[in-house]
Amino acid sequence: MDSKELIKLNNEKRKQLTKENVKYYDQMLLYIRSHLILSEQQTEEILMELLDHLLEAQNKGKTVEDIFGKDLKSYCDELIRQLPKENGKTSFTFITYLITMIAGIMIMISGLANIITGFFKKFDHTFFLGTTIVGFVIQVLMIFLFVYFVFSWIKWSAFNENLNKIVEFLIIFLLSSLAFFGIIFIPKWIPPFGVEFEISGYVMIIIGLIILFISKWINIKFRLTR
């Protein structure tokens, strides 16, 4: 089975775990999956093996500690050290897919915003190539930085049972707010430079759809080469 089928099967089989075992297994699952540089296929296979061992032990009346020991984090770290990393070609294809998808969505949103704004006031359709490219690069970097912080937080908090849920929510909310405002406002502070051109909101939507179609094709290719 490929990784997507394994994830679906994992979700179904987890329903057989007791409430306590679900808690411990979900900690392990979140912690291992949060290491994005690992091979997705190998990661899901090892998670399925862990689940099968836990279900077998549960049927025999054994506890999580009986199988994996008292220090689940150390046990997971040992597994992670043995898992292969995603190969460079696959990682490059996936990152390209993400960037094109982000570009398509942003261009479509900008086009839609231009059209809506045009109903109320005259909208300036003038853009500057240098400003647009630098602004997009900054937005992509901020999105990737946000994702990095979120997954780093998941790694840190996965086995931290004393973490206050309110504090956790506030931290995630703060990070999300900073990322949102950065993505929206930082590109607006870039002074205009580069080739000047005009483009309507309707054309932007069409371009965005084309780029999203390309990103879909890249994603299909990415899945086939895994």
Side-chain angles (χ1 to χ4, degrees), residues 70-132:
K70 294 183 179 181
D71 191 345
L72 290 181
K73 183 178 181 300
S74 295
Y75 182 85
C76 289
D77 285 334
E78 182 59 34
L79 290 177
I80 289 168
R81 280 192 286 270
Q82 299 175 25
L83 286 172
K85 292 180 174 59
E86 201 71 81
N87 68 69
K89 183 179 179 181
T90 302
S91 298
F92 176 78
T93 306
F94 182 63
I95 291 172
T96 304
Y97 155 68
L98 288 179
I99 291 175
T100 52
M101 181 183 68
I102 292 170
I105 292 172
M106 287 183 173
I107 291 173
M108 285 187 64
I109 291 174
S110 296
L112 184 61
N114 292 356
I115 293 171
I116 294 174
T117 304
F119 290 134
F120 303 98
K121 63 178 181 179
K122 186 177 180 179
F123 190 85
D124 185 6
H125 298 288
T126 303
F127 297 88
F128 295 88
L129 184 60
T131 305
T132 301

Short mmCIF file of all heavy atoms in Angstrom, two decimals, residues 70-132:
data_model
loop_
_atom_site.label_atom_id
_atom_site.label_comp_id
_atom_site.label_asym_id
_atom_site.label_seq_id
_atom_site.Cartn_x
_atom_site.Cartn_y
_atom_site.Cartn_z
N LYS A 70 9.09 3.07 29.26
CA LYS A 70 8.52 4.24 29.96
C LYS A 70 8.80 5.55 29.22
O LYS A 70 8.03 6.49 29.33
CB LYS A 70 9.08 4.32 31.38
CG LYS A 70 8.64 3.16 32.28
CD LYS A 70 9.17 3.34 33.69
CE LYS A 70 8.70 2.20 34.58
NZ LYS A 70 9.19 2.36 35.99
N ASP A 71 9.90 5.60 28.48
CA ASP A 71 10.27 6.84 27.78
C ASP A 71 9.90 6.72 26.31
O ASP A 71 10.70 6.29 25.47
CB ASP A 71 11.77 7.09 27.94
CG ASP A 71 12.17 8.49 27.49
OD1 ASP A 71 11.37 9.14 26.80
OD2 ASP A 71 13.30 8.91 27.83
N LEU A 72 8.67 7.13 25.97
CA LEU A 72 8.19 7.00 24.60
C LEU A 72 8.96 7.90 23.63
O LEU A 72 9.19 7.53 22.48
CB LEU A 72 6.69 7.34 24.53
CG LEU A 72 5.73 6.36 25.19
CD1 LEU A 72 4.29 6.82 25.01
CD2 LEU A 72 5.90 4.96 24.62
N LYS A 73 9.35 9.06 24.10
CA LYS A 73 10.07 9.99 23.24
C LYS A 73 11.42 9.40 22.80
O LYS A 73 11.78 9.46 21.63
CB LYS A 73 10.30 11.33 23.95
CG LYS A 73 10.99 12.38 23.09
CD LYS A 73 11.13 13.70 23.83
CE LYS A 73 11.80 14.75 22.94
NZ LYS A 73 13.15 14.36 22.50
N SER A 74 12.14 8.82 23.73
CA SER A 74 13.43 8.20 23.39
C SER A 74 13.24 7.04 22.44
O SER A 74 14.04 6.82 21.52
CB SER A 74 14.14 7.73 24.66
OG SER A 74 14.47 8.83 25.48
N TYR A 75 12.16 6.28 22.65
CA TYR A 75 11.86 5.15 21.77
C TYR A 75 11.60 5.66 20.35
O TYR A 75 12.11 5.10 19.37
CB TYR A 75 10.65 4.39 22.29
CG TYR A 75 10.29 3.16 21.48
CD1 TYR A 75 10.92 1.94 21.71
CD2 TYR A 75 9.34 3.23 20.47
CE1 TYR A 75 10.60 0.82 20.95
CE2 TYR A 75 9.01 2.12 19.71
CZ TYR A 75 9.64 0.92 19.97
OH TYR A 75 9.33 -0.19 19.22
N CYS A 76 10.81 6.74 20.24
CA CYS A 76 10.51 7.32 18.93
C CYS A 76 11.76 7.90 18.28
O CYS A 76 11.95 7.77 17.07
CB CYS A 76 9.45 8.41 19.07
SG CYS A 76 7.80 7.78 19.47
N ASP A 77 12.62 8.53 19.08
CA ASP A 77 13.86 9.09 18.55
C ASP A 77 14.73 7.99 17.94
O ASP A 77 15.39 8.21 16.91
CB ASP A 77 14.63 9.82 19.65
CG ASP A 77 14.01 11.17 19.99
OD1 ASP A 77 13.34 11.75 19.12
OD2 ASP A 77 14.19 11.63 21.13
N GLU A 78 14.75 6.85 18.58
CA GLU A 78 15.53 5.73 18.06
C GLU A 78 14.97 5.24 16.73
O GLU A 78 15.71 4.94 15.78
CB GLU A 78 15.54 4.58 19.07
CG GLU A 78 16.36 3.37 18.66
CD GLU A 78 17.83 3.70 18.41
OE1 GLU A 78 18.36 4.59 19.12
OE2 GLU A 78 18.43 3.08 17.51
N LEU A 79 13.63 5.20 16.62
CA LEU A 79 13.00 4.80 15.36
C LEU A 79 13.30 5.82 14.26
O LEU A 79 13.60 5.45 13.12
CB LEU A 79 11.49 4.69 15.54
CG LEU A 79 10.96 3.53 16.39
CD1 LEU A 79 9.44 3.64 16.53
CD2 LEU A 79 11.33 2.18 15.77
N ILE A 80 13.23 7.10 14.62
CA ILE A 80 13.46 8.17 13.65
C ILE A 80 14.88 8.11 13.10
O ILE A 80 15.11 8.35 11.90
CB ILE A 80 13.18 9.54 14.30
CG1 ILE A 80 11.68 9.70 14.52
CG2 ILE A 80 13.72 10.69 13.45
CD1 ILE A 80 11.29 10.86 15.41
N ARG A 81 15.85 7.77 13.95
CA ARG A 81 17.24 7.67 13.49
C ARG A 81 17.41 6.55 12.45
O ARG A 81 18.32 6.60 11.63
CB ARG A 81 18.17 7.43 14.68
CG ARG A 81 18.49 8.69 15.47
CD ARG A 81 19.62 8.45 16.44
NE ARG A 81 19.19 7.66 17.59
CZ ARG A 81 18.69 8.17 18.71
NH1 ARG A 81 18.56 9.48 18.84
NH2 ARG A 81 18.32 7.38 19.71
N GLN A 82 16.53 5.56 12.50
CA GLN A 82 16.63 4.44 11.58
C GLN A 82 15.85 4.65 10.28
O GLN A 82 16.06 3.93 9.31
CB GLN A 82 16.12 3.16 12.27
CG GLN A 82 16.93 2.77 13.51
CD GLN A 82 16.34 1.58 14.24
OE1 GLN A 82 15.65 0.77 13.64
NE2 GLN A 82 16.61 1.48 15.53
N LEU A 83 14.94 5.63 10.29
CA LEU A 83 14.12 5.86 9.10
C LEU A 83 14.90 6.65 8.05
O LEU A 83 15.60 7.60 8.38
CB LEU A 83 12.85 6.63 9.48
CG LEU A 83 11.77 5.84 10.23
CD1 LEU A 83 10.68 6.77 10.72
CD2 LEU A 83 11.17 4.76 9.33
N PRO A 84 14.76 6.29 6.78
CA PRO A 84 15.46 7.03 5.71
C PRO A 84 14.80 8.39 5.47
O PRO A 84 13.61 8.56 5.71
CB PRO A 84 15.29 6.12 4.49
CG PRO A 84 14.02 5.37 4.75
CD PRO A 84 13.98 5.15 6.25
N LYS A 85 15.59 9.33 4.99
CA LYS A 85 15.06 10.64 4.65
C LYS A 85 14.46 10.61 3.25
O LYS A 85 14.81 9.75 2.44
CB LYS A 85 16.17 11.70 4.73
CG LYS A 85 16.66 11.96 6.14
CD LYS A 85 17.76 13.00 6.15
CE LYS A 85 18.17 13.37 7.58
NZ LYS A 85 18.65 12.22 8.34
N GLU A 86 13.55 11.53 3.00
CA GLU A 86 12.96 11.64 1.67
C GLU A 86 14.06 12.00 0.68
O GLU A 86 14.92 12.83 0.98
CB GLU A 86 11.89 12.73 1.68
CG GLU A 86 10.87 12.63 0.57
CD GLU A 86 9.91 11.46 0.73
OE1 GLU A 86 8.94 11.56 1.49
OE2 GLU A 86 10.17 10.42 0.08
N ASN A 87 14.05 11.35 -0.49
CA ASN A 87 15.13 11.63 -1.45
C ASN A 87 15.00 13.04 -2.02
O ASN A 87 13.92 13.64 -2.03
CB ASN A 87 15.14 10.58 -2.58
CG ASN A 87 13.92 10.67 -3.47
OD1 ASN A 87 13.75 11.62 -4.22
ND2 ASN A 87 13.05 9.66 -3.41
N GLY A 88 16.13 13.58 -2.49
CA GLY A 88 16.19 14.97 -2.93
C GLY A 88 15.24 15.29 -4.07
O GLY A 88 14.61 16.35 -4.07
N LYS A 89 15.11 14.39 -5.04
CA LYS A 89 14.24 14.63 -6.19
C LYS A 89 12.78 14.74 -5.75
O LYS A 89 12.05 15.63 -6.21
CB LYS A 89 14.39 13.50 -7.21
CG LYS A 89 13.57 13.70 -8.47
CD LYS A 89 13.77 12.56 -9.45
CE LYS A 89 12.92 12.75 -10.69
NZ LYS A 89 13.09 11.64 -11.67
N THR A 90 12.38 13.87 -4.85
CA THR A 90 11.00 13.89 -4.35
C THR A 90 10.74 15.16 -3.57
O THR A 90 9.69 15.80 -3.71
CB THR A 90 10.73 12.66 -3.47
OG1 THR A 90 10.95 11.47 -4.22
CG2 THR A 90 9.30 12.66 -2.97
N SER A 91 11.69 15.54 -2.72
CA SER A 91 11.54 16.77 -1.92
C SER A 91 11.44 18.00 -2.81
O SER A 91 10.61 18.88 -2.57
CB SER A 91 12.73 16.92 -0.95
OG SER A 91 12.78 15.84 -0.05
N PHE A 92 12.30 18.06 -3.86
CA PHE A 92 12.27 19.19 -4.78
C PHE A 92 10.93 19.28 -5.50
O PHE A 92 10.35 20.36 -5.65
CB PHE A 92 13.41 19.07 -5.80
CG PHE A 92 13.40 20.14 -6.84
CD1 PHE A 92 13.88 21.41 -6.56
CD2 PHE A 92 12.90 19.88 -8.12
CE1 PHE A 92 13.86 22.41 -7.53
CE2 PHE A 92 12.88 20.87 -9.08
CZ PHE A 92 13.36 22.14 -8.77
N THR A 93 10.42 18.13 -5.95
CA THR A 93 9.13 18.10 -6.65
C THR A 93 8.01 18.56 -5.73
O THR A 93 7.13 19.32 -6.13
CB THR A 93 8.83 16.68 -7.17
OG1 THR A 93 9.91 16.21 -7.95
CG2 THR A 93 7.55 16.65 -7.99
N PHE A 94 8.05 18.11 -4.47
CA PHE A 94 7.00 18.48 -3.52
C PHE A 94 7.05 19.98 -3.21
O PHE A 94 6.01 20.64 -3.15
CB PHE A 94 7.17 17.67 -2.23
CG PHE A 94 6.11 17.95 -1.21
CD1 PHE A 94 4.78 17.67 -1.46
CD2 PHE A 94 6.45 18.50 0.03
CE1 PHE A 94 3.80 17.93 -0.53
CE2 PHE A 94 5.48 18.76 0.98
CZ PHE A 94 4.14 18.47 0.70
N ILE A 95 8.25 20.52 -3.02
CA ILE A 95 8.39 21.95 -2.73
C ILE A 95 7.92 22.78 -3.93
O ILE A 95 7.25 23.80 -3.77
CB ILE A 95 9.85 22.30 -2.38
CG1 ILE A 95 10.21 21.68 -1.02
CG2 ILE A 95 10.06 23.81 -2.35
CD1 ILE A 95 11.68 21.80 -0.66
N THR A 96 8.25 22.31 -5.16
CA THR A 96 7.79 23.00 -6.36
C THR A 96 6.27 23.00 -6.43
O THR A 96 5.64 24.02 -6.79
CB THR A 96 8.36 22.32 -7.62
OG1 THR A 96 9.78 22.29 -7.53
CG2 THR A 96 7.94 23.06 -8.88
N TYR A 97 5.68 21.87 -6.08
CA TYR A 97 4.21 21.77 -6.05
C TYR A 97 3.62 22.77 -5.07
O TYR A 97 2.65 23.49 -5.39
CB TYR A 97 3.80 20.35 -5.67
CG TYR A 97 2.44 20.24 -5.04
CD1 TYR A 97 1.28 20.51 -5.76
CD2 TYR A 97 2.31 19.89 -3.69
CE1 TYR A 97 0.03 20.42 -5.17
CE2 TYR A 97 1.07 19.80 -3.10
CZ TYR A 97 -0.07 20.07 -3.84
OH TYR A 97 -1.30 19.98 -3.24
N LEU A 98 4.20 22.86 -3.87
CA LEU A 98 3.68 23.79 -2.85
C LEU A 98 3.79 25.24 -3.32
O LEU A 98 2.86 26.03 -3.15
CB LEU A 98 4.45 23.60 -1.54
CG LEU A 98 4.17 22.33 -0.74
CD1 LEU A 98 5.05 22.29 0.52
CD2 LEU A 98 2.70 22.23 -0.36
N ILE A 99 4.94 25.59 -3.90
CA ILE A 99 5.16 26.97 -4.33
C ILE A 99 4.19 27.35 -5.45
O ILE A 99 3.60 28.44 -5.44
CB ILE A 99 6.62 27.18 -4.78
CG1 ILE A 99 7.55 27.08 -3.56
CG2 ILE A 99 6.79 28.53 -5.47
CD1 ILE A 99 9.02 27.15 -3.91
N THR A 100 4.01 26.45 -6.44
CA THR A 100 3.07 26.76 -7.52
C THR A 100 1.63 26.82 -7.01
O THR A 100 0.84 27.66 -7.47
CB THR A 100 3.16 25.71 -8.65
OG1 THR A 100 3.04 24.39 -8.09
CG2 THR A 100 4.49 25.81 -9.37
N MET A 101 1.28 25.97 -6.06
CA MET A 101 -0.06 26.01 -5.50
C MET A 101 -0.30 27.33 -4.76
O MET A 101 -1.34 27.98 -4.92
CB MET A 101 -0.28 24.84 -4.54
CG MET A 101 -1.68 24.79 -3.92
SD MET A 101 -1.89 23.47 -2.72
CE MET A 101 -0.81 24.05 -1.40
N ILE A 102 0.70 27.74 -3.96
CA ILE A 102 0.59 29.01 -3.23
C ILE A 102 0.47 30.18 -4.22
O ILE A 102 -0.35 31.08 -4.03
CB ILE A 102 1.82 29.21 -2.31
CG1 ILE A 102 1.79 28.19 -1.17
CG2 ILE A 102 1.84 30.63 -1.73
CD1 ILE A 102 3.08 28.15 -0.36
N ALA A 103 1.29 30.15 -5.28
CA ALA A 103 1.25 31.22 -6.28
C ALA A 103 -0.12 31.30 -6.94
O ALA A 103 -0.69 32.39 -7.09
CB ALA A 103 2.33 30.99 -7.33
N GLY A 104 -0.66 30.14 -7.32
CA GLY A 104 -1.97 30.12 -7.97
C GLY A 104 -3.07 30.66 -7.07
O GLY A 104 -3.91 31.46 -7.51
N ILE A 105 -3.05 30.24 -5.81
CA ILE A 105 -4.08 30.71 -4.87
C ILE A 105 -3.96 32.21 -4.64
O ILE A 105 -4.97 32.94 -4.64
CB ILE A 105 -3.95 29.95 -3.53
CG1 ILE A 105 -4.34 28.48 -3.73
CG2 ILE A 105 -4.84 30.59 -2.46
CD1 ILE A 105 -4.08 27.61 -2.52
N MET A 106 -2.73 32.70 -4.44
CA MET A 106 -2.53 34.13 -4.17
C MET A 106 -2.93 34.99 -5.37
O MET A 106 -3.55 36.05 -5.20
CB MET A 106 -1.07 34.39 -3.80
CG MET A 106 -0.70 33.92 -2.41
SD MET A 106 1.00 34.33 -1.98
CE MET A 106 1.02 33.84 -0.25
N ILE A 107 -2.61 34.54 -6.57
CA ILE A 107 -2.96 35.31 -7.76
C ILE A 107 -4.48 35.34 -7.93
O ILE A 107 -5.06 36.39 -8.25
CB ILE A 107 -2.29 34.69 -9.01
CG1 ILE A 107 -0.77 34.92 -8.94
CG2 ILE A 107 -2.85 35.31 -10.29
CD1 ILE A 107 0.00 34.20 -10.03
N MET A 108 -5.14 34.21 -7.67
CA MET A 108 -6.60 34.18 -7.77
C MET A 108 -7.25 35.08 -6.73
O MET A 108 -8.21 35.81 -7.02
CB MET A 108 -7.10 32.74 -7.61
CG MET A 108 -6.87 31.85 -8.81
SD MET A 108 -7.67 30.24 -8.62
CE MET A 108 -9.39 30.72 -8.59
N ILE A 109 -6.74 35.06 -5.50
CA ILE A 109 -7.28 35.91 -4.45
C ILE A 109 -7.09 37.38 -4.80
O ILE A 109 -8.00 38.21 -4.63
CB ILE A 109 -6.62 35.59 -3.09
CG1 ILE A 109 -7.06 34.20 -2.60
CG2 ILE A 109 -6.98 36.65 -2.05
CD1 ILE A 109 -6.35 33.74 -1.35
N SER A 110 -5.90 37.72 -5.31
CA SER A 110 -5.63 39.10 -5.71
C SER A 110 -6.56 39.54 -6.83
O SER A 110 -7.09 40.65 -6.82
CB SER A 110 -4.17 39.25 -6.16
OG SER A 110 -3.28 38.98 -5.11
N GLY A 111 -6.77 38.64 -7.79
CA GLY A 111 -7.67 38.96 -8.90
C GLY A 111 -9.10 39.17 -8.42
O GLY A 111 -9.78 40.12 -8.84
N LEU A 112 -9.55 38.29 -7.54
CA LEU A 112 -10.91 38.43 -7.00
C LEU A 112 -11.06 39.71 -6.19
O LEU A 112 -12.07 40.41 -6.29
CB LEU A 112 -11.22 37.21 -6.12
CG LEU A 112 -12.64 37.12 -5.55
CD1 LEU A 112 -13.66 37.05 -6.69
CD2 LEU A 112 -12.78 35.90 -4.64
N ALA A 113 -10.01 40.04 -5.40
CA ALA A 113 -10.04 41.28 -4.62
C ALA A 113 -10.10 42.50 -5.53
O ALA A 113 -10.80 43.48 -5.24
CB ALA A 113 -8.81 41.35 -3.71
N ASN A 114 -9.36 42.45 -6.64
CA ASN A 114 -9.37 43.55 -7.60
C ASN A 114 -10.76 43.76 -8.20
O ASN A 114 -11.24 44.89 -8.35
CB ASN A 114 -8.36 43.30 -8.72
CG ASN A 114 -6.93 43.36 -8.23
OD1 ASN A 114 -6.68 43.66 -7.08
ND2 ASN A 114 -6.00 43.05 -9.11
N ILE A 115 -11.41 42.63 -8.53
CA ILE A 115 -12.74 42.72 -9.13
C ILE A 115 -13.76 43.29 -8.13
O ILE A 115 -14.55 44.18 -8.46
CB ILE A 115 -13.20 41.32 -9.61
CG1 ILE A 115 -12.32 40.87 -10.78
CG2 ILE A 115 -14.66 41.35 -10.03
CD1 ILE A 115 -12.54 39.43 -11.20
N ILE A 116 -13.72 42.78 -6.90
CA ILE A 116 -14.66 43.25 -5.87
C ILE A 116 -14.43 44.72 -5.56
O ILE A 116 -15.37 45.51 -5.46
CB ILE A 116 -14.52 42.40 -4.59
CG1 ILE A 116 -14.97 40.97 -4.88
CG2 ILE A 116 -15.34 43.00 -3.45
CD1 ILE A 116 -14.73 40.01 -3.73
N THR A 117 -13.15 45.11 -5.43
CA THR A 117 -12.83 46.51 -5.15
C THR A 117 -13.29 47.42 -6.28
O THR A 117 -13.73 48.55 -6.05
CB THR A 117 -11.31 46.68 -4.94
OG1 THR A 117 -10.87 45.81 -3.91
CG2 THR A 117 -10.97 48.11 -4.54
N GLY A 118 -13.21 46.91 -7.51
CA GLY A 118 -13.60 47.70 -8.67
C GLY A 118 -15.07 48.08 -8.69
O GLY A 118 -15.45 49.03 -9.38
N PHE A 119 -15.90 47.34 -7.96
CA PHE A 119 -17.33 47.67 -7.90
C PHE A 119 -17.58 48.94 -7.07
O PHE A 119 -18.61 49.58 -7.21
CB PHE A 119 -18.12 46.51 -7.29
CG PHE A 119 -18.20 45.31 -8.18
CD1 PHE A 119 -17.97 44.04 -7.68
CD2 PHE A 119 -18.49 45.44 -9.54
CE1 PHE A 119 -18.05 42.92 -8.50
CE2 PHE A 119 -18.58 44.33 -10.37
CZ PHE A 119 -18.35 43.06 -9.85
N PHE A 120 -16.66 49.27 -6.20
CA PHE A 120 -16.85 50.40 -5.29
C PHE A 120 -16.01 51.62 -5.64
O PHE A 120 -16.37 52.74 -5.37
CB PHE A 120 -16.54 49.97 -3.85
CG PHE A 120 -17.38 48.81 -3.39
CD1 PHE A 120 -16.87 47.51 -3.43
CD2 PHE A 120 -18.67 49.00 -2.94
CE1 PHE A 120 -17.63 46.43 -3.02
CE2 PHE A 120 -19.45 47.92 -2.52
CZ PHE A 120 -18.93 46.63 -2.56
N LYS A 121 -14.84 51.38 -6.23
CA LYS A 121 -13.99 52.49 -6.62
C LYS A 121 -13.09 52.05 -7.75
O LYS A 121 -12.91 50.86 -8.01
CB LYS A 121 -13.14 52.97 -5.43
CG LYS A 121 -12.16 51.94 -4.90
CD LYS A 121 -11.33 52.51 -3.76
CE LYS A 121 -10.32 51.47 -3.26
NZ LYS A 121 -9.47 52.02 -2.17
N LYS A 122 -12.50 53.04 -8.43
CA LYS A 122 -11.60 52.72 -9.53
C LYS A 122 -10.34 52.07 -8.98
O LYS A 122 -9.69 52.60 -8.07
CB LYS A 122 -11.24 53.99 -10.29
CG LYS A 122 -10.42 53.73 -11.54
CD LYS A 122 -10.14 55.00 -12.31
CE LYS A 122 -9.31 54.71 -13.56
NZ LYS A 122 -9.04 55.93 -14.34
N PHE A 123 -10.00 50.92 -9.53
CA PHE A 123 -8.84 50.18 -9.02
C PHE A 123 -7.66 50.32 -9.97
O PHE A 123 -7.82 50.27 -11.19
CB PHE A 123 -9.20 48.70 -8.86
CG PHE A 123 -8.16 47.91 -8.13
CD1 PHE A 123 -8.14 47.86 -6.75
CD2 PHE A 123 -7.17 47.22 -8.84
CE1 PHE A 123 -7.16 47.13 -6.08
CE2 PHE A 123 -6.20 46.50 -8.17
CZ PHE A 123 -6.20 46.46 -6.79
N ASP A 124 -6.50 50.54 -9.39
CA ASP A 124 -5.26 50.66 -10.16
C ASP A 124 -4.72 49.27 -10.48
O ASP A 124 -4.34 48.53 -9.58
CB ASP A 124 -4.23 51.47 -9.37
CG ASP A 124 -2.97 51.74 -10.20
OD1 ASP A 124 -2.97 51.39 -11.40
OD2 ASP A 124 -2.00 52.28 -9.64
N HIS A 125 -4.73 48.91 -11.76
CA HIS A 125 -4.28 47.59 -12.17
C HIS A 125 -2.79 47.55 -12.50
O HIS A 125 -2.31 46.61 -13.12
CB HIS A 125 -5.08 47.11 -13.39
CG HIS A 125 -6.54 46.98 -13.13
ND1 HIS A 125 -7.07 45.98 -12.37
CD2 HIS A 125 -7.58 47.74 -13.53
CE1 HIS A 125 -8.38 46.10 -12.31
NE2 HIS A 125 -8.72 47.18 -13.01
N THR A 126 -2.06 48.58 -12.08
CA THR A 126 -0.64 48.66 -12.39
C THR A 126 0.19 47.86 -11.38
O THR A 126 -0.02 47.97 -10.17
CB THR A 126 -0.16 50.13 -12.37
OG1 THR A 126 -0.94 50.88 -13.30
CG2 THR A 126 1.31 50.21 -12.74
N PHE A 127 1.09 47.04 -11.90
CA PHE A 127 1.98 46.25 -11.06
C PHE A 127 3.42 46.47 -11.52
O PHE A 127 3.65 46.90 -12.66
CB PHE A 127 1.64 44.77 -11.12
CG PHE A 127 0.27 44.43 -10.60
CD1 PHE A 127 -0.84 44.47 -11.44
CD2 PHE A 127 0.09 44.09 -9.27
CE1 PHE A 127 -2.09 44.16 -10.95
CE2 PHE A 127 -1.16 43.77 -8.78
CZ PHE A 127 -2.26 43.82 -9.63
N PHE A 128 4.36 46.17 -10.63
CA PHE A 128 5.79 46.26 -10.96
C PHE A 128 6.40 44.87 -10.78
O PHE A 128 6.24 44.25 -9.71
CB PHE A 128 6.48 47.28 -10.07
CG PHE A 128 5.99 48.70 -10.29
CD1 PHE A 128 4.90 49.17 -9.59
CD2 PHE A 128 6.62 49.52 -11.21
CE1 PHE A 128 4.44 50.46 -9.78
CE2 PHE A 128 6.16 50.81 -11.43
CZ PHE A 128 5.06 51.29 -10.71
N LEU A 129 7.06 44.39 -11.82
CA LEU A 129 7.56 43.01 -11.83
C LEU A 129 8.50 42.73 -10.66
O LEU A 129 8.35 41.71 -9.97
CB LEU A 129 8.28 42.73 -13.16
CG LEU A 129 8.77 41.29 -13.36
CD1 LEU A 129 7.59 40.32 -13.32
CD2 LEU A 129 9.53 41.17 -14.68
N GLY A 130 9.47 43.61 -10.41
CA GLY A 130 10.42 43.39 -9.32
C GLY A 130 9.73 43.33 -7.97
O GLY A 130 9.99 42.45 -7.15
N THR A 131 8.83 44.29 -7.74
CA THR A 131 8.09 44.32 -6.47
C THR A 131 7.23 43.08 -6.29
O THR A 131 7.17 42.50 -5.20
CB THR A 131 7.18 45.58 -6.43
OG1 THR A 131 7.97 46.74 -6.66
CG2 THR A 131 6.49 45.70 -5.09
N THR A 132 6.58 42.66 -7.37
CA THR A 132 5.70 41.47 -7.31
C THR A 132 6.49 40.21 -6.98
O THR A 132 6.08 39.41 -6.13
CB THR A 132 4.98 41.28 -8.66
OG1 THR A 132 4.21 42.45 -8.95
CG2 THR A 132 4.05 40.08 -8.60
#
